[in-house]
Amino acid sequence: HIGGIHILEDKVPFEEFIGHVNSKLPLLPRYRQKAVPAPFNVGHPTWEFDPAFDVRKHVYPAQLQAPGTIDQLRELVEQLQSGMLDRSKPLWELYLVQGFEGHRTALISKVHHCMVDGVSGVDLMRVLMDISPETKPSPEVEFAPPPPIPDDTRRMIDGLLDTMQEGTKSWMEFQGNLLNLVQTWTKEPPPLPTLGNNMLSSLVAPPSILPFNRANSGQIKLSWSAFSFAEARGIRAVFGGTVNDVVLTTLSGAVIKYLNAHTERTAGRTLRVMVPVSMRKEEQRGALGNLVSVLPVEIPLDMPDHRQRYDFINAKTGSLKGAKVAEGLNVFSALLGTVPAQMQAMLGSILTTSVPVFNIVSTNVPGPQIPLYILGRRMTASYPFVPIGFAVGVSCAILSYDQKLYFGITSDGKAMPDAAKLKEYLDQSFAELRSLAGVPENKTQVEAPPAAKPRNRTRTRKPVTPATPVAPKAETEEKVSARKS
């Protein structure tokens, strides 16, 4: 699952928040559906309305020992984000955290990646949040009774039919994507070096194994930071390129500092970053589901000079985009979609490997540059969360919101127990890059939260779940076939 931690400037009553969320659910029918597996995996799971749906099974109160510190909040988020979402109900959860210092409220969100990708998710966030502090009473909502979930025989037949239909659709999608890619290459041939050894090594050869590339333990550590979006745009204006070039230069600089602090060799080693790229077209914004490819960006670790590394990253990402690498990988993904669901399930169960394909994940999601509100309370900060997996022991999510860049670092508790150090080096790297570009510091930016302190931690109370939930009625909607995430 993905998610985030959102800070609101004042207290939000839990019952009022429950009513607010429930009033928005008619706009999000997928949030009342659960993924129901087909018998014997003859087809992909289907989205079925949960007959026992209750908003109180998804929205929970949580309490910090007031005045709750940022370290207490971080520990609570680590605890809640570590667990898996319950597959027997719709795949999302919200936790409203009271007792945070400054009379503020924190909102912790979790949603499974099969329901939404990052770019689409920002649009959906606006459904739960308002662009104005003015509040209106949340209307009471009653949903019509849902249709019963089909029995095993019906789901078996539907699964077989869906498999044939999806296989045909995937094959047509593969042919269409391949044709579009060939036509693009014909009109605009990519540079030959990009299609040569450099590109192939980025896709096939294993990356340099770094200290945080080890099997995940299941424990996660979080660290957060925030930078001025105006400063990032200022750096981009001086050096050229994109804000994502600024992000990758800052992140790679932090990794170099981290390796040096751990007396790790950097000469001849590279950092392979998995950069997710949305393939969603403009007319598809706001739609549910995943339309994501990736760019494999190799960054030399023996290049400590920020400007040299920035120019390298700018040229590298430009050549990868020019060669339509993301589109090419999307063609391969469509080809995998033609494989029967049973074989997909089998491949998914054996693909766990101790040799990572990437060293680190860096996903940059553009968000609204105006303040958002929940029940009249302004959201003053929003730190994104993305998971880790396989032997990729650290990931970094970046969300631009209200003229700031919010960084959320997730690391494995054993592969990188000192995630706070990476956050510290991240801050240093950005400050050095800003100074090198001659961009003045923006004094109006929100102060980033301090790094987690390893000692003298104050315990947090466990989130209190509601006692006996009463299931409201749910409206009917035609079953929608969904692929496994």
Side-chain angles (χ1 to χ4, degrees):
H1 61 267
I2 58 176
I5 173 69
H6 318 286
I7 308 299
L8 306 175
E9 64 181 355
D10 201 357
K11 291 185 178 179
V12 178
F14 180 73
E15 291 301 323
E16 190 177 353
F17 181 68
I18 280 277
H20 179 68
V21 173
N22 202 47
S23 70
K24 301 293 185 179
L25 288 177
L27 301 174
L28 301 169
R30 178 60 50 79
Y31 280 56
R32 292 181 287 114
Q33 297 172 329
K34 62 180 181 178
V36 180
F40 306 107
N41 282 330
V42 296
H44 292 109
T46 56
W47 293 112
E48 307 285 354
F49 277 99
D50 183 1
F53 177 82
D54 185 345
V55 68
R56 293 180 183 271
K57 293 180 180 179
H58 299 270
V59 183
Y60 304 116
Q63 182 71 40
L64 298 178
Q65 294 178 352
T69 65
I70 191 71
D71 283 337
Q72 284 180 266
L73 179 61
R74 185 183 288 105
E75 286 187 0
L76 178 61
V77 179
E78 289 172 350
Q79 170 193 342
L80 294 176
Q81 296 288 18
S82 293
M84 289 179 61
L85 286 163
D86 184 357
R87 266 47 175 179
S88 67
K89 63 181 185 180
L91 299 171
W92 64 278
E93 291 177 354
L94 295 174
Y95 294 84
L96 194 70
V97 184
Q98 307 287 1
F100 187 40
E101 59 187 358
H103 302 285
R104 292 175 292 174
T105 301
L107 177 62
I108 303 170
S109 62
K110 300 172 64 173
V111 58
H112 197 282
H113 207 286
C114 68
M115 295 177 66
V116 63
D117 65 51
V119 173
S120 181
V122 174
D123 291 334
L124 292 174
M125 189 172 68
R126 296 194 185 108
V127 175
L128 296 177
M129 299 185 180
D130 302 312
I131 61 174
S132 170
E134 297 180 4
T135 60
K136 298 179 181 178
S138 300
E140 293 186 7
V141 176
E142 287 193 11
F143 303 114
I149 296 177
D151 57 26
D152 290 348
T153 303
R154 175 63 184 271
R155 286 190 289 115
M156 170 81 79
I157 296 173
D158 286 350
L160 291 171
L161 294 175
D162 287 344
T163 296
M164 291 187 291
Q165 182 180 11
E166 289 171 1
T168 303
K169 181 180 177 181
S170 295
W171 181 250
M172 294 176 65
E173 181 182 349
F174 164 72
Q175 290 178 315
N177 290 345
L178 182 60
L179 179 61
N180 291 336
L181 185 61
V182 172
Q183 288 177 339
T184 301
W185 277 348
T186 303
K187 293 178 181 179
E188 301 178 13
L192 289 178
T194 304
L195 291 174
N197 295 331
N198 292 338
M199 174 179 165
L200 292 177
S201 64
S202 298
L203 299 175
V204 179
S208 304
I209 304 299
L210 302 179
F212 44 80
N213 294 133
R214 51 183 289 185
N216 292 159
S217 65
Q219 305 171 5
I220 67 169
K221 304 293 291 183
L222 299 177
S223 195
W224 304 316
S225 198
F227 304 113
S228 165
F229 197 24
E231 292 177 7
R233 289 196 301 263
I235 297 170
R236 176 201 63 185
V238 172
F239 293 156
T242 66
V243 170
N244 203 46
D245 294 335
V246 177
V247 167
L248 292 177
T249 303
T250 302
L251 180 59
S252 57
V255 172
I256 291 173
K257 291 177 182 292
Y258 182 87
L259 295 178
N260 289 335
H262 289 73
T263 63
E264 286 281 339
R265 177 180 59 85
T266 58
R269 302 174 82 177
T270 59
L271 176 72
R272 184 180 298 173
V273 187
M274 171 184 162
V275 180
V277 178
S278 176
M279 306 304 293
R280 192 178 299 277
K281 299 178 182 178
E282 186 62 30
E283 63 270 16
Q284 296 172 312
R285 289 183 65 86
L288 288 163
N290 289 301
L291 281 174
V292 178
S293 186
V294 298
L295 280 180
V297 183
E298 294 256 7
I299 305 173
L301 290 170
D302 52 3
M303 194 180 288
D305 181 82
H306 291 304
R307 180 58 193 271
Q308 182 186 8
R309 197 170 64 257
Y310 184 96
D311 291 341
F312 177 89
I313 290 171
N314 176 256
K316 183 73 172 181
T317 55
S319 63
L320 290 173
K321 291 175 184 177
K324 305 296 181 183
V325 173
E327 289 82 352
L329 292 175
N330 198 42
V331 171
F332 179 70
S333 176
L335 181 60
L336 290 179
T338 64
V339 177
Q342 303 97 314
M343 293 186 63
Q344 290 186 28
M346 180 184 68
L347 289 172
S349 65
I350 64 175
L351 280 181
T352 299
T353 173
S354 59
V355 179
V357 180
F358 301 93
N359 296 115
I360 193 171
V361 176
S362 174
T363 175
N364 189 356
V365 178
Q369 295 308 305
I370 58 174
L372 298 178
Y373 301 83
I374 290 183
L375 295 172
R377 282 77 169 180
R378 180 172 177 164
M379 185 172 74
T380 58
S382 181
Y383 300 99
F385 168 84
V386 291
I388 49 178
F390 302 104
V392 181
V394 62
S395 60
C396 183
I398 304 97
L399 172 68
S400 58
Y401 163 68
D402 195 16
Q403 305 304 317
K404 297 166 191 72
L405 285 175
Y406 291 97
F407 281 67
I409 300 172
T410 308
S411 72
D412 182 78
K414 292 187 177 179
M416 182 187 277
D418 53 351
K421 280 293 182 183
L422 186 63
K423 171 257 188 300
E424 179 183 329
Y425 300 139
L426 194 73
D427 295 345
Q428 294 176 9
S429 182
F430 185 84
E432 291 167 0
L433 188 62
R434 180 188 62 211
S435 176
L436 184 65
V439 175
E441 184 177 357
N442 186 355
K443 300 295 184 180
T444 62
Q445 67 176 330
V446 168
E447 181 181 357
K453 297 178 181 178
R455 298 179 183 177
N456 299 327
R457 290 182 176 175
T458 305
R459 276 195 225 163
T460 60
R461 297 177 187 171
K462 292 184 178 180
V464 182
T465 57
T468 307
V470 180
K473 299 176 181 178
E475 71 178 4
T476 62
E477 182 174 285
E478 185 178 353
K479 177 181 70 177
V480 182
S481 177
R483 297 184 181 181
K484 281 186 177 177
S485 173

